[in-house]
Amino acid sequence: MSDPKMQVRARVRHEPDRSYAVLVEGPDGEVEVGRTGRTADLWALAHAGAARLFGESLGADDLTLHVPQPPYGHDGQWGRMNK
């Protein structure tokens, strides 16, 4: 039988300065692998970070990236709540 495929999970954390932190679940728990201000860079950061953590080449199907909705607003724009 062949070895089961490894499935790596990553997530994005919205930072107060409006940047994004990419975290990958590694062998020793969740590890921050990079930060960016561009959503276009999220997948590349997660993929490169997972490859560094696990020391092997991962295919596109081997990585799941969860990008949550920003904490404010519904259209991807951050907003400010006034009291």
Side-chain angles (χ1 to χ4, degrees), residues 35-48:
R35 288 180 183 232
T36 184
R38 295 172 25 114
T39 56
D41 297 336
L42 295 175
W43 179 259
L45 269 175
H47 195 268

Side-chain angles (χ1 to χ4, degrees), residues 45-62:
L45 269 175
H47 195 268
R52 280 193 314 269
L53 284 175
F54 292 99
E56 50 186 86
S57 178
L58 298 172
D61 294 338
D62 301 333

Side-chain angles (χ1 to χ4, degrees), residues 13-33:
R13 182 177 65 210
H14 296 277
E15 298 296 322
D17 65 356
R18 298 178 75 171
S19 66
Y20 307 95
V22 178
L23 300 104
V24 174
E25 285 185 25
D28 298 325
E30 196 172 55
V31 177
E32 184 177 322
V33 295

